[in-house]
Amino acid sequence: MNQTDDLPTETGAGAGATERPDYDSPWKEAISAYFQPFMRLFFPAVHARIDWSQPYEFLDAELQKITGDAQLGKRFADRLVRVRSLEGEELWLLIHIEIQGQAEVSFNHRMFQYYYRIHDHYPEAEIISLAVLTHQPDCSGLGLYEAGHDGYGIQFRFRVHNLQDWMARWEQLKGLAANNPFAVVALAQLAAHRKATDPERKASKREIIWLLYQYRYAREDVLALLRFIDWMLRLPRGLELELRNELIALEESTQMPYVMSYEQMALERGEKRGEKRGEKRGEKRGELKSLLRLIEAKFGTPTPEQQRLLESADIPQLDRWLDRILTASTLDDLLA
Protein backbone atom coordinates (compact mmCIF):
# COMPACT_ATOMS: atom_id res chain seq x y z
CA MET A 1 0.00 0.00 0.00
CA ASN A 2 1.37 3.40 -0.98
CA GLN A 3 1.63 6.05 1.71
CA THR A 4 0.70 9.73 1.61
CA ASP A 5 1.55 12.00 4.55
CA ASP A 6 1.88 8.79 6.62
CA LEU A 7 -1.79 8.05 5.94
CA PRO A 8 -3.34 5.07 4.18
CA THR A 9 -3.36 5.35 0.43
CA GLU A 10 -5.99 7.22 -1.54
CA THR A 11 -6.22 4.32 -3.97
CA GLY A 12 -8.23 1.47 -2.68
CA ALA A 13 -12.03 1.10 -2.83
CA GLY A 14 -15.24 1.12 -4.79
CA ALA A 15 -18.93 0.54 -4.35
CA GLY A 16 -22.07 -1.21 -5.27
CA ALA A 17 -25.60 -1.51 -4.02
CA THR A 18 -26.18 -0.92 -0.33
CA GLU A 19 -28.02 -3.33 1.92
CA ARG A 20 -29.11 -0.81 4.56
CA PRO A 21 -29.58 2.75 3.34
CA ASP A 22 -29.94 4.00 6.92
CA TYR A 23 -26.13 3.91 7.21
CA ASP A 24 -25.80 6.43 4.39
CA SER A 25 -27.61 9.37 5.96
CA PRO A 26 -25.31 9.60 9.01
CA TRP A 27 -22.31 9.60 6.68
CA LYS A 28 -23.78 12.40 4.60
CA GLU A 29 -24.50 14.39 7.76
CA ALA A 30 -20.99 13.74 9.05
CA ILE A 31 -19.45 14.95 5.78
CA SER A 32 -21.61 18.07 5.90
CA ALA A 33 -20.52 18.82 9.46
CA TYR A 34 -16.85 17.87 9.06
CA PHE A 35 -16.05 18.23 5.37
CA GLN A 36 -12.56 19.68 5.80
CA PRO A 37 -11.47 17.03 8.36
CA PHE A 38 -12.94 14.36 6.06
CA MET A 39 -10.79 15.55 3.17
CA ARG A 40 -7.70 15.89 5.37
CA LEU A 41 -8.04 12.35 6.68
CA PHE A 42 -8.95 10.48 3.49
CA PHE A 43 -7.64 12.61 0.61
CA PRO A 44 -4.78 14.77 1.94
CA ALA A 45 -3.36 15.59 -1.50
CA VAL A 46 -6.70 17.02 -2.66
CA HIS A 47 -7.19 18.74 0.69
CA ALA A 48 -3.89 20.55 0.15
CA ARG A 49 -5.14 21.99 -3.15
CA ILE A 50 -8.27 23.59 -1.66
CA ASP A 51 -8.42 27.18 -0.45
CA TRP A 52 -10.21 26.61 2.86
CA SER A 53 -10.56 30.34 3.44
CA GLN A 54 -13.18 30.33 0.67
CA PRO A 55 -16.72 28.95 1.17
CA TYR A 56 -17.65 25.61 -0.34
CA GLU A 57 -21.07 24.47 -1.50
CA PHE A 58 -22.82 21.09 -1.49
CA LEU A 59 -24.67 20.49 -4.76
CA ASP A 60 -26.52 17.23 -4.13
CA ALA A 61 -29.69 18.36 -5.93
CA GLU A 62 -27.57 19.39 -8.89
CA LEU A 63 -25.88 15.98 -8.88
CA GLN A 64 -29.21 14.20 -9.04
CA LYS A 65 -30.36 16.44 -11.87
CA ILE A 66 -27.14 15.98 -13.85
CA THR A 67 -26.99 12.21 -13.50
CA GLY A 68 -30.72 11.70 -13.99
CA ASP A 69 -30.65 9.17 -11.16
CA ALA A 70 -33.67 9.64 -8.90
CA GLN A 71 -32.29 7.08 -6.47
CA LEU A 72 -29.00 8.89 -6.05
CA GLY A 73 -28.52 9.79 -2.41
CA LYS A 74 -30.95 7.07 -1.38
CA ARG A 75 -28.82 4.08 -2.38
CA PHE A 76 -25.44 5.72 -1.90
CA ALA A 77 -23.95 8.47 0.24
CA ASP A 78 -22.92 10.58 -2.76
CA ARG A 79 -22.00 14.25 -2.48
CA LEU A 80 -21.07 16.88 -5.04
CA VAL A 81 -19.11 19.78 -3.59
CA ARG A 82 -17.92 22.97 -5.28
CA VAL A 83 -14.71 24.39 -3.83
CA ARG A 84 -11.96 26.84 -4.81
CA SER A 85 -8.35 25.87 -5.34
CA LEU A 86 -5.45 27.88 -3.95
CA GLU A 87 -4.99 29.22 -7.50
CA GLY A 88 -8.58 30.50 -7.47
CA GLU A 89 -9.92 27.85 -9.84
CA GLU A 90 -13.26 26.15 -9.38
CA LEU A 91 -13.08 22.47 -8.46
CA TRP A 92 -16.00 20.05 -8.38
CA LEU A 93 -15.52 17.14 -6.00
CA LEU A 94 -17.66 14.07 -6.64
CA ILE A 95 -17.58 12.00 -3.45
CA HIS A 96 -18.97 8.48 -3.25
CA ILE A 97 -19.19 6.59 0.05
CA GLU A 98 -20.01 2.88 -0.08
CA ILE A 99 -21.18 1.86 3.39
CA GLN A 100 -22.44 -1.72 3.41
CA GLY A 101 -21.94 -3.56 0.15
CA GLN A 102 -18.81 -4.37 -1.77
CA ALA A 103 -17.84 -3.06 -5.16
CA GLU A 104 -19.63 -4.36 -8.18
CA VAL A 105 -17.81 -4.96 -11.43
CA SER A 106 -19.70 -1.95 -12.80
CA PHE A 107 -18.47 0.45 -10.12
CA ASN A 108 -15.56 1.86 -12.12
CA HIS A 109 -17.87 2.40 -15.09
CA ARG A 110 -20.47 4.12 -12.91
CA MET A 111 -17.88 6.52 -11.52
CA PHE A 112 -16.88 7.33 -15.11
CA GLN A 113 -20.51 7.88 -16.07
CA TYR A 114 -20.98 10.39 -13.26
CA TYR A 115 -17.77 12.13 -14.26
CA TYR A 116 -18.63 12.59 -17.92
CA ARG A 117 -22.21 13.66 -17.17
CA ILE A 118 -20.96 16.42 -14.88
CA HIS A 119 -18.29 17.34 -17.43
CA ASP A 120 -20.93 17.49 -20.16
CA HIS A 121 -22.87 20.11 -18.17
CA TYR A 122 -19.84 21.99 -16.86
CA PRO A 123 -16.96 21.46 -19.32
CA GLU A 124 -14.85 24.28 -17.86
CA ALA A 125 -14.84 22.86 -14.32
CA GLU A 126 -12.13 20.54 -13.07
CA ILE A 127 -13.87 17.46 -11.69
CA ILE A 128 -12.16 15.32 -9.07
CA SER A 129 -13.78 11.95 -8.41
CA LEU A 130 -13.28 10.45 -4.95
CA ALA A 131 -14.54 7.19 -3.45
CA VAL A 132 -14.41 5.80 0.07
CA LEU A 133 -15.21 2.14 0.61
CA THR A 134 -15.84 1.08 4.19
CA HIS A 135 -16.17 -2.69 3.86
CA GLN A 136 -14.05 -3.87 0.93
CA PRO A 137 -11.30 -6.41 1.65
CA ASP A 138 -9.52 -6.01 -1.70
CA CYS A 139 -9.57 -2.79 -3.70
CA SER A 140 -6.84 -3.59 -6.20
CA GLY A 141 -9.26 -3.63 -9.14
CA LEU A 142 -10.83 -0.28 -8.36
CA GLY A 143 -9.99 3.28 -9.36
CA LEU A 144 -9.56 2.72 -13.10
CA TYR A 145 -12.05 2.45 -15.95
CA GLU A 146 -10.77 1.47 -19.40
CA ALA A 147 -12.61 0.94 -22.66
CA GLY A 148 -10.88 0.54 -25.99
CA HIS A 149 -8.54 -1.60 -28.08
CA ASP A 150 -4.96 -1.51 -29.32
CA GLY A 151 -4.12 1.45 -27.08
CA TYR A 152 -7.03 3.59 -28.29
CA GLY A 153 -10.09 4.46 -26.27
CA ILE A 154 -10.80 5.74 -22.75
CA GLN A 155 -8.77 5.55 -19.58
CA PHE A 156 -10.33 7.18 -16.50
CA ARG A 157 -8.63 7.17 -13.11
CA PHE A 158 -10.09 8.30 -9.79
CA ARG A 159 -8.94 8.31 -6.18
CA VAL A 160 -10.21 5.58 -3.89
CA HIS A 161 -9.68 5.22 -0.15
CA ASN A 162 -10.17 1.88 1.59
CA LEU A 163 -11.32 2.39 5.18
CA GLN A 164 -10.36 -1.18 6.03
CA ASP A 165 -6.69 -0.21 5.65
CA TRP A 166 -7.07 1.52 9.00
CA MET A 167 -8.09 -1.65 10.84
CA ALA A 168 -4.45 -2.64 11.30
CA ARG A 169 -3.63 0.96 12.30
CA TRP A 170 -6.37 1.41 14.89
CA GLU A 171 -4.12 3.05 17.46
CA GLN A 172 -2.80 5.54 14.92
CA LEU A 173 -6.36 6.44 13.96
CA LYS A 174 -7.20 6.96 17.63
CA GLY A 175 -4.26 9.34 17.88
CA LEU A 176 -5.43 11.31 14.85
CA ALA A 177 -8.79 11.78 16.58
CA ALA A 178 -7.07 14.30 18.84
CA ASN A 179 -7.22 16.85 16.03
CA ASN A 180 -9.54 15.33 13.45
CA PRO A 181 -13.17 14.56 14.37
CA PHE A 182 -13.63 12.47 11.25
CA ALA A 183 -11.22 9.94 12.72
CA VAL A 184 -13.95 9.29 15.31
CA VAL A 185 -16.44 8.67 12.49
CA ALA A 186 -13.98 6.25 10.87
CA LEU A 187 -13.41 4.39 14.14
CA ALA A 188 -17.15 3.97 14.69
CA GLN A 189 -17.67 2.62 11.18
CA LEU A 190 -14.77 0.20 11.51
CA ALA A 191 -16.13 -1.05 14.83
CA ALA A 192 -19.58 -1.46 13.28
CA HIS A 193 -18.17 -3.67 10.51
CA ARG A 194 -16.00 -5.74 12.84
CA LYS A 195 -17.36 -9.15 13.80
CA ALA A 196 -17.78 -9.04 17.56
CA THR A 197 -20.02 -10.10 20.41
CA ASP A 198 -22.31 -7.54 22.01
CA PRO A 199 -19.99 -7.10 25.03
CA GLU A 200 -17.08 -6.57 22.64
CA ARG A 201 -19.09 -3.97 20.72
CA LYS A 202 -19.89 -2.26 23.99
CA ALA A 203 -16.17 -2.14 24.82
CA SER A 204 -15.39 -0.66 21.40
CA LYS A 205 -18.14 1.92 21.78
CA ARG A 206 -16.86 2.96 25.19
CA GLU A 207 -13.30 3.17 23.84
CA ILE A 208 -14.36 5.51 21.05
CA ILE A 209 -16.58 7.67 23.26
CA TRP A 210 -13.77 7.99 25.78
CA LEU A 211 -11.68 9.73 23.11
CA LEU A 212 -14.15 12.63 23.14
CA TYR A 213 -13.45 13.13 26.83
CA GLN A 214 -9.73 12.43 26.56
CA TYR A 215 -9.26 15.00 23.81
CA ARG A 216 -11.74 17.43 25.41
CA TYR A 217 -13.91 17.99 22.37
CA ALA A 218 -16.24 20.98 22.37
CA ARG A 219 -19.75 20.18 23.55
CA GLU A 220 -21.41 20.66 20.14
CA ASP A 221 -18.89 18.29 18.52
CA VAL A 222 -19.38 15.73 21.27
CA LEU A 223 -23.13 15.69 20.81
CA ALA A 224 -22.86 15.40 17.02
CA LEU A 225 -20.29 12.61 17.18
CA LEU A 226 -22.10 10.72 19.91
CA ARG A 227 -25.19 10.58 17.74
CA PHE A 228 -23.12 9.14 14.90
CA ILE A 229 -21.48 6.60 17.23
CA ASP A 230 -24.89 5.56 18.55
CA TRP A 231 -26.16 5.11 15.02
CA MET A 232 -23.24 2.90 14.03
CA LEU A 233 -22.91 0.91 17.25
CA ARG A 234 -26.33 0.03 18.59
CA LEU A 235 -26.38 -2.33 21.55
CA PRO A 236 -29.05 -4.33 23.35
CA ARG A 237 -30.87 -2.15 25.84
CA GLY A 238 -29.28 -3.77 28.88
CA LEU A 239 -25.77 -3.10 27.61
CA GLU A 240 -26.72 0.46 26.66
CA LEU A 241 -27.87 0.97 30.24
CA GLU A 242 -24.60 -0.44 31.56
CA LEU A 243 -22.59 1.78 29.25
CA ARG A 244 -24.67 4.83 30.16
CA ASN A 245 -23.98 4.25 33.85
CA GLU A 246 -20.25 3.86 33.21
CA LEU A 247 -20.22 7.11 31.24
CA ILE A 248 -22.19 8.96 33.89
CA ALA A 249 -19.46 7.97 36.34
CA LEU A 250 -16.91 9.17 33.79
CA GLU A 251 -18.76 12.46 33.48
CA GLU A 252 -18.58 13.01 37.19
CA SER A 253 -14.89 12.18 37.37
CA THR A 254 -13.98 14.45 34.45
CA GLN A 255 -16.59 17.14 35.15
CA MET A 256 -17.60 17.01 31.47
CA PRO A 257 -21.39 16.47 31.32
CA TYR A 258 -21.58 15.38 27.69
CA VAL A 259 -23.31 12.01 27.73
CA MET A 260 -26.33 13.10 25.75
CA SER A 261 -26.24 10.43 23.04
CA TYR A 262 -28.50 8.27 25.13
CA GLU A 263 -31.32 10.67 24.43
CA GLN A 264 -32.26 8.28 21.64
CA MET A 265 -33.09 5.55 24.16
CA ALA A 266 -34.49 7.86 26.85
CA LEU A 267 -31.63 7.10 29.21
CA GLU A 268 -31.55 10.42 30.96
CA ARG A 269 -31.27 10.66 34.71
CA GLY A 270 -34.95 11.58 34.93
CA GLU A 271 -35.82 8.23 33.38
CA LYS A 272 -33.46 6.45 35.74
CA ARG A 273 -35.28 7.90 38.73
CA GLY A 274 -38.59 6.88 37.17
CA GLU A 275 -37.39 3.31 36.67
CA LYS A 276 -36.27 3.08 40.28
CA ARG A 277 -39.75 4.14 41.40
CA GLY A 278 -41.29 1.67 38.96
CA GLU A 279 -43.07 4.52 37.20
CA LYS A 280 -43.59 5.10 33.51
CA ARG A 281 -44.00 8.84 33.92
CA GLY A 282 -40.29 9.34 34.45
CA GLU A 283 -39.49 7.28 31.36
CA LYS A 284 -41.88 9.25 29.16
CA ARG A 285 -40.54 12.57 30.46
CA GLY A 286 -37.03 11.40 29.70
CA GLU A 287 -37.91 10.32 26.17
CA LEU A 288 -39.87 13.49 25.43
CA LYS A 289 -37.08 15.67 26.82
CA SER A 290 -34.54 13.79 24.71
CA LEU A 291 -36.61 14.06 21.55
CA LEU A 292 -37.25 17.77 22.04
CA ARG A 293 -33.54 18.45 22.43
CA LEU A 294 -32.76 16.62 19.20
CA ILE A 295 -35.62 18.39 17.39
CA GLU A 296 -34.48 21.83 18.53
CA ALA A 297 -30.89 21.07 17.55
CA LYS A 298 -31.85 19.86 14.07
CA PHE A 299 -35.06 21.71 13.13
CA GLY A 300 -35.50 24.53 15.64
CA THR A 301 -38.32 25.12 18.11
CA PRO A 302 -41.52 23.19 17.26
CA THR A 303 -44.79 25.05 16.74
CA PRO A 304 -47.41 24.94 19.54
CA GLU A 305 -49.39 22.38 17.52
CA GLN A 306 -46.32 20.19 17.05
CA GLN A 307 -45.49 20.57 20.75
CA ARG A 308 -48.97 19.31 21.73
CA LEU A 309 -48.59 16.35 19.37
CA LEU A 310 -45.27 15.45 20.92
CA GLU A 311 -46.54 15.76 24.48
CA SER A 312 -49.59 13.60 23.78
CA ALA A 313 -47.58 10.72 22.24
CA ASP A 314 -47.05 7.48 24.11
CA ILE A 315 -43.65 5.90 24.69
CA PRO A 316 -43.68 3.59 21.62
CA GLN A 317 -44.44 6.57 19.38
CA LEU A 318 -41.67 8.61 20.98
CA ASP A 319 -39.31 5.68 20.37
CA ARG A 320 -40.26 5.59 16.69
CA TRP A 321 -39.61 9.30 16.30
CA LEU A 322 -36.26 8.97 18.08
CA ASP A 323 -35.28 6.20 15.67
CA ARG A 324 -36.21 8.32 12.63
CA ILE A 325 -34.89 11.74 13.59
CA LEU A 326 -31.47 11.37 12.01
CA THR A 327 -32.95 10.56 8.61
CA ALA A 328 -35.90 12.97 8.66
CA SER A 329 -35.41 16.04 6.45
CA THR A 330 -38.01 18.24 8.20
CA LEU A 331 -39.98 18.16 11.43
CA ASP A 332 -43.20 17.62 9.47
CA ASP A 333 -41.56 14.64 7.79
CA LEU A 334 -40.58 13.24 11.19
CA LEU A 335 -44.06 13.62 12.70
CA ALA A 336 -45.96 12.42 9.63
Side-chain angles (χ1 to χ4, degrees), residues 20-35:
R20 278 187 54 188
D22 59 333
Y23 272 6
D24 296 353
S25 181
W27 264 87
K28 294 183 76 170
E29 290 189 16
I31 292 173
S32 295
Y34 301 110
F35 176 55

Side-chain angles (χ1 to χ4, degrees), residues 24 47 60 78 85 97 106 139 164 177 207 218 221-222 236 266 297 300 333:
D24 296 353
H47 175 275
D60 296 348
D78 290 320
S85 72
I97 312 294
S106 62
C139 303
Q164 289 298 312
E207 178 184 16
D221 291 321
V222 169
D333 179 40

Side-chain angles (χ1 to χ4, degrees), residues 158-169:
F158 56 96
R159 292 173 172 84
V160 188
H161 186 103
N162 185 8
L163 188 66
Q164 289 298 312
D165 287 345
W166 286 106
M167 192 65 81
R169 307 173 73 182

Side-chain angles (χ1 to χ4, degrees), residues 5-229:
D5 298 341
D6 198 31
L7 297 175
T9 179
E10 293 181 11
T11 57
T18 56
E19 299 171 10
R20 278 187 54 188
D22 59 333
Y23 272 6
D24 296 353
S25 181
W27 264 87
K28 294 183 76 170
E29 290 189 16
I31 292 173
S32 295
Y34 301 110
F35 176 55
Q36 184 175 355
F38 165 83
M39 292 297 299
R40 187 169 73 247
L41 180 64
F42 292 149
F43 302 102
V46 180
H47 175 275
R49 290 192 58 194
I50 297 172
D51 184 354
W52 294 103
S53 68
Q54 298 297 315
Y56 51 84
E57 182 181 6
F58 288 96
L59 303 169
D60 296 348
E62 184 73 8
L63 177 60
Q64 181 174 315
K65 182 175 70 174
I66 292 171
T67 61
D69 188 348
Q71 294 300 309
L72 192 63
K74 298 179 181 178
R75 297 176 301 167
F76 312 108
D78 290 320
R79 310 304 306 264
L80 182 63
V81 194
R82 182 163 53 199
V83 301
R84 287 281 175 184
S85 72
L86 291 172
E87 296 77 25
E89 299 173 348
E90 188 174 278
L91 305 178
W92 289 52
L93 308 183
L94 173 64
I95 302 171
H96 173 91
I97 312 294
E98 177 61 27
I99 311 301
Q100 281 274 92
Q102 296 183 6
E104 301 170 327
V105 293
S106 62
F107 173 68
N108 291 335
H109 181 230
R110 179 157 52 86
M111 290 294 290
F112 171 66
Q113 285 181 310
Y114 286 177
Y115 172 86
Y116 79 67
R117 288 175 183 173
I118 297 171
H119 176 72
D120 189 47
H121 282 75
Y122 300 94
E124 302 302 319
E126 179 181 350
I127 305 162
I128 301 176
S129 299
L130 310 169
V132 176
L133 201 70
T134 72
H135 202 205
Q136 182 83 8
D138 179 14
C139 303
S140 58
L142 303 171
L144 172 64
Y145 172 71
E146 292 183 296
H149 188 67
D150 292 336
Y152 295 92
I154 296 167
Q155 184 180 85
F156 170 69
R157 294 183 180 275
F158 56 96
R159 292 173 172 84
V160 188
H161 186 103
N162 185 8
L163 188 66
Q164 289 298 312
D165 287 345
W166 286 106
M167 192 65 81
R169 307 173 73 182
W170 179 269
E171 292 302 318
Q172 182 187 354
L173 191 57
K174 285 173 58 178
L176 291 174
N179 299 301
N180 190 320
F182 221 92
V184 177
V185 174
L187 288 164
Q189 185 67 72
L190 286 170
H193 282 319
R194 189 161 50 194
K195 291 183 179 179
T197 64
D198 286 335
E200 289 171 338
R201 286 170 67 84
K202 175 198 162 190
S204 294
K205 188 170 183 177
R206 188 187 191 283
E207 178 184 16
I208 296 168
I209 292 174
W210 166 245
L211 297 176
L212 307 180
Y213 294 82
Q214 179 182 349
Y215 296 137
R216 306 192 74 83
Y217 271 61
R219 180 182 176 83
E220 61 185 27
D221 291 321
V222 169
L223 298 183
L225 291 167
L226 282 172
R227 285 194 292 272
F228 185 90
I229 294 168

